[in-house]
Amino acid sequence: MKDFELENRRFVIGGVAITIVVIYIIRLFTLQLLSDDYKKNADSNAFLKKIEFPSRGAITDRNGELLVYNQPAYDIMVIMNEERGRLDTMEFCRSLGIEKETFIRRMAEIKDRGKNPGYSPYTQQMFMSQLSDTEFSVFQEKIFRFPGFYVQKRSIRQYRYPYAAHVLGDVGEVSKGDIEEDDYYQPGDYIGKMGVERYYEKELRGQKGVQILLRDAHGRIQGRYQDGRYDRRPIPGKDLTLSLDVKLQALGERLMEGKVGSIVAIEPSTGEVLCMVSSPTYDPRIMVGRQRGKNHIALQLDHRKPLLNRSIMGQYPPGSTFKTSQALTFLNEGIITQSTAYSCHRGFSFHGLRVGCHGHASPLSLIPAISTSCNGFFCWGFYDMMNDRTKYPTVQVAMNRWRDYMVSMGFGYKLGIDLPGEKRGLIPNAEYYDNAYKNNWSGLTVISISIGQGEVNLTPLQIANLGATIANRGYYYVPHVVRKVKDEPLDTLYTRRHYTMANRSAYDLVVAGMRSSVLGGTCKAANRRDYAVCGKTGTAQNRGRDHSVFMGFAPMEKPKIAIAVYVENGGFGAQYGVPIGALMMEQYINGKLSKGSEARAAMFQRRHLSYDVVYKKQ
């Protein structure tokens, strides 16, 4: 019995000994092969890996006018494992002009892995960013007194003009989400936050370089490791050429001062966006440097929403500009012909339903209906399409056929512009109305969509693109704000033609109607002697004062510019939309405004619409 117990005891003791040995072997394996803590410690004693940031790509307008460039700046970096509390904190704070409490708070934030997930005591961490030349020179004189702290040179963005803030965007410090999404970034890096700066971030940012510096036992820099054999030079970001004309953009922003809305102009032959104005706007130059965060918060809190790019995010009823798309659909589907005439006795009246209209001749055919912006004509056309059972077995089939035409014209979905945040607007289909009306609806129920009211919503970009499509007589290119990326071909998304479902002859008739509107209809204020303008007004109803809308292009043959103007609560299209659109077209086609036009521009610049009054009415 004793021999058996002794034997068992020997096995237990042996097992324990073997377990201890195995644990030690695993721990040694982990420390030496799997963990890089000791390697980092050893490397940090011998080497300093100094990141070299590339210069960010410059941005110019279509005529080579410099819009965005780089300015030298300096960051203060810290390696916590070297600092180790040896710092004269008061002297350090005096050198940077900061309070001791600021220093303590910032050091704690660096060590907080929740806020700084890439933290390591052996690598450089951002302490303070974007020092000016003056601040840097003061600190540089005393840096030898501050162990663990280094200066890192980089560049910051500068915006030359106070224009195009929504298109250009800005650059700010990376968020935790940015770092998690792309391992290129480290805490303290910068990234495009909005606009072109965001959309073309990878092209603009370039590639980081690195210098490997050798240190002695006291941490003093001895020079480059192996004469820079393992250094990597930074690769500059690629320059961008925008399609914007900065002079046209400047005029648009002047004309929209004190108003809420948007101007979008497109070159029909390419889809290049010539200007994109969203009002109210802000000066992009306030979004640089250490004051960026403070200024961004102030813009966020502004009840006028200046950060909102209404050109691509605003979703509005297009009003009577939408009638051009209805004419194209009815013609192509054979619902009407050029000579089809409908009566309009100050509106559309049928089975107790009435849609009002202003006074004009009656009955009238398509071209004068576009010219006078007749509601009755387009309501009757839509009614006939929804009730034509020889073509469409049910109203649902008719509605979905109508929807297909609208989608082919670039409505109801994002067009795909090279800016973040684009909205799709709304084009209803049969399922939408089946759900809304429990399958009990007809063409009369939804008649208002035929005149750009009701459930239909478009962005100003989509309205401008409608103008470009009509100018091209049936096709468009996806609108884009970048004309060229240095040493790269333009994405084929922006070089392919998109044809609509309507034919060329239908477009010719709509062009004739829009030309008639300028010669003697609702757009006559846009008429010119030196080039032929085609246009269509819109007066979009809403809960307050109507919105003023204009869509047009010029010249009539070989068009150079298509434009949409949308002024919230501006009244009739002829009050704000038409004259602003006419001035913009003159500026682009002639390169300047005449003396009389400059006087009109100054008048519209001074003519403000109260934002507070407008939105209290709604």
Side-chain angles (χ1 to χ4, degrees):
M1 186 69 175
K2 288 181 180 179
D3 291 340
F4 180 75
E5 288 179 358
L6 182 62
E7 191 72 20
N8 282 345
R9 205 173 297 150
R10 282 165 48 197
F11 282 128
V12 170
I13 293 170
V16 170
I18 292 171
T19 300
I20 292 172
V21 170
V22 169
I23 289 172
Y24 271 103
I25 291 172
I26 292 173
R27 180 60 179 157
L28 287 170
F29 178 81
T30 301
L31 290 174
Q32 294 185 28
L33 298 180
L34 298 184
S35 173
D36 61 354
D37 286 349
Y38 289 97
K39 182 177 183 302
K40 282 181 179 178
N41 200 359
D43 283 350
S44 67
N45 288 332
F47 304 113
L48 173 63
K49 291 183 179 179
K50 188 177 181 182
I51 299 295
E52 291 190 303
F53 288 92
S55 60
R56 197 168 174 88
I59 302 176
T60 59
D61 85 339
R62 66 187 297 110
N63 299 312
E65 195 75 27
L66 184 64
L67 302 179
V68 187
Y69 59 98
N70 299 308
Q71 191 101 328
Y74 305 89
D75 296 338
I76 305 298
M77 311 298 291
V78 60
I79 298 177
M80 292 296 194
N81 199 49
E82 295 180 13
E83 190 270 332
R84 293 179 180 173
R86 295 180 291 161
L87 187 69
D88 183 340
T89 305
M90 295 306 298
E91 179 67 16
F92 179 85
C93 291
R94 279 194 295 270
S95 298
L96 289 176
I98 62 175
E99 300 294 328
K100 183 178 180 180
E101 292 74 17
T102 303
F103 171 84
I104 294 170
R105 182 176 65 252
R106 182 61 192 137
M107 294 295 272
E109 288 172 350
I110 292 172
K111 295 176 183 178
D112 186 344
R113 294 182 187 271
K115 295 180 179 179
N116 184 13
Y119 172 71
S120 168
Y122 307 112
T123 60
Q124 290 189 351
Q125 305 292 318
M126 173 76 73
F127 177 81
M128 181 180 287
S129 65
Q130 300 184 16
L131 268 70
S132 67
D133 288 337
T134 304
E135 293 171 321
F136 163 71
S137 60
V138 171
F139 183 78
Q140 181 72 1
E141 291 177 359
K142 302 178 180 180
I143 194 170
F144 67 93
R145 301 181 185 177
F146 310 135
F149 285 87
Y150 301 88
V151 173
Q152 181 170 263
K153 185 178 179 181
R154 70 161 83 217
S155 59
I156 59 173
R157 292 305 242 181
Q158 293 292 331
Y159 299 89
R160 186 177 177 189
Y161 297 105
Y163 310 125
H166 296 97
V167 175
L168 297 174
D170 67 306
V171 174
E173 193 168 335
V174 291
S175 65
K176 183 179 178 181
D178 294 326
I179 297 169
E180 292 172 350
E181 188 176 316
D182 190 338
D183 59 9
Y184 173 89
Y185 301 103
Q186 299 295 323
D189 283 357
Y190 293 90
I191 189 172
K193 290 293 185 179
M194 295 187 294
V196 165
E197 295 274 25
R198 182 70 179 191
Y199 196 92
Y200 287 91
E201 166 66 15
K202 290 186 178 179
E203 289 82 1
L204 286 166
R205 74 187 184 189
Q207 296 181 29
K208 295 174 185 173
V210 63
Q211 275 188 26
I212 304 177
L213 304 176
L214 192 63
R215 299 195 286 198
D216 62 17
H218 301 286
R220 293 172 298 199
I221 302 297
Q222 299 300 301
R224 293 189 174 187
Y225 175 61
Q226 292 196 8
D227 294 324
R229 180 180 177 184
Y230 296 101
D231 291 354
R232 188 172 67 248
R233 294 180 63 84
I235 300 175
K238 295 182 177 180
D239 297 340
L240 300 184
T241 301
L242 300 191
S243 58
L244 297 189
D245 180 322
V246 71
K247 291 181 180 178
L248 186 66
Q249 182 75 25
L251 175 61
E253 295 194 17
R254 277 180 56 204
L255 294 172
M256 290 298 290
E257 278 186 25
K259 306 167 189 70
V260 179
S262 168
I263 303 173
V264 180
I266 297 173
E267 183 178 66
S269 61
T270 61
E272 294 174 359
V273 175
L274 302 173
C275 83
M276 181 175 283
V277 177
S278 179
S279 182
T281 185
Y282 59 95
D283 187 339
R285 296 174 297 186
I286 69 171
M287 301 293 275
V288 298
R290 295 207 298 273
Q291 295 301 310
R292 178 193 177 276
K294 178 182 176 181
N295 292 334
H296 189 266
I297 291 172
L299 291 171
Q300 281 183 313
L301 296 176
D302 190 331
H303 69 286
R304 299 176 305 157
K305 300 182 180 178
L307 289 174
L308 179 68
N309 185 352
R310 288 170 168 83
S311 298
I312 61 173
M313 297 175 179
Q315 300 175 92
Y316 301 104
S320 295
T321 61
F322 198 61
K323 291 172 182 174
T324 55
S325 68
Q326 305 309 287
L328 293 164
T329 303
F330 303 157
L331 286 165
N332 214 68
E333 284 293 282
I335 303 299
I336 63 171
T337 66
Q338 179 180 355
S339 58
T340 299
Y342 290 118
S343 62
C344 177
H345 301 292
R346 288 193 173 270
F348 170 85
S349 296
F350 191 67
H351 286 190
L353 176 67
R354 180 170 178 78
V355 178
C357 189
H358 55 276
H360 54 69
S362 176
L364 72 177
S365 57
L366 177 65
I367 291 176
I370 294 174
S371 178
T372 60
S373 196
C374 173
N375 285 343
F377 184 95
F378 294 97
C379 287
W380 279 116
F382 183 79
Y383 175 82
D384 284 350
M385 181 175 179
M386 293 298 109
N387 287 275
D388 190 340
R389 293 296 166 261
T390 62
K391 286 181 175 290
Y392 320 107
T394 65
V395 69
Q396 284 83 0
V397 173
M399 175 56 67
N400 284 340
R401 181 66 173 169
W402 176 88
R403 182 274 320 273
D404 291 343
Y405 273 90
M406 299 305 103
V407 170
S408 79
M409 295 176 194
F411 309 144
Y413 293 90
K414 297 177 183 179
L415 280 167
I417 191 170
D418 49 346
L419 288 173
E422 182 189 4
K423 301 298 183 183
R424 61 182 289 176
L426 175 63
I427 294 294
N429 58 13
E431 183 181 4
Y432 178 95
Y433 286 126
D434 283 343
N435 291 332
Y437 294 103
K438 311 300 182 186
N439 296 298
N440 184 24
W441 61 280
S442 68
L444 280 177
T445 313
V446 299
I447 199 76
S448 61
I449 65 174
S450 65
I451 57 172
Q453 297 288 164
E455 292 73 29
V456 170
N457 276 325
L458 305 183
T459 65
L461 177 68
Q462 290 172 328
I463 299 173
N465 192 61
L466 171 62
T469 306
I470 298 171
N472 289 333
R473 277 62 164 181
Y475 66 87
Y476 67 89
Y477 296 94
V478 172
H480 49 285
V481 297
V482 169
R483 196 180 197 190
K484 181 182 179 183
V485 179
K486 186 177 181 181
D487 300 326
E488 280 189 16
L490 194 64
D491 193 319
T492 56
L493 171 67
Y494 306 118
T495 59
R496 295 195 306 267
R497 289 184 178 183
H498 295 260
Y499 285 89
T500 75
M501 292 171 62
N503 58 40
R504 172 65 187 249
S505 61
Y507 276 97
D508 287 337
L509 289 173
V510 169
V511 169
M514 293 175 67
R515 179 63 183 149
S516 175
S517 181
V518 173
L519 290 174
T522 57
C523 294
K524 58 187 176 183
N527 196 22
R528 301 275 307 187
R529 292 182 180 179
D530 47 347
Y531 53 84
V533 177
C534 296
K536 182 72 195 74
T537 52
T539 304
Q541 297 175 3
N542 84 110
R543 288 169 292 175
R545 192 181 181 204
D546 294 340
H547 301 319
S548 180
V549 196
F550 171 74
M551 178 269 291
F553 61 90
M556 180 174 166
E557 304 299 333
K558 297 182 180 178
K560 295 180 180 179
I561 181 172
I563 193 164
V565 179
Y566 208 107
V567 180
E568 292 188 33
N569 306 98
F572 294 118
Q575 288 183 272
Y576 283 90
V578 174
I580 289 175
L583 289 167
M584 294 292 287
M585 288 189 283
E586 179 185 349
Q587 169 67 41
Y588 186 69
I589 292 173
N590 292 342
K592 62 179 181 179
L593 296 179
S594 68
K595 190 173 181 179
S597 294
E598 182 57 50
R600 284 192 295 276
M603 179 189 68
F604 274 97
Q605 183 178 359
R606 293 190 301 268
R607 190 183 290 178
H608 290 195
L609 293 169
S610 171
Y611 185 94
D612 295 311
V613 171
V614 161
Y615 281 84
K616 282 176 183 176
K617 285 182 180 178
Q618 297 182 48

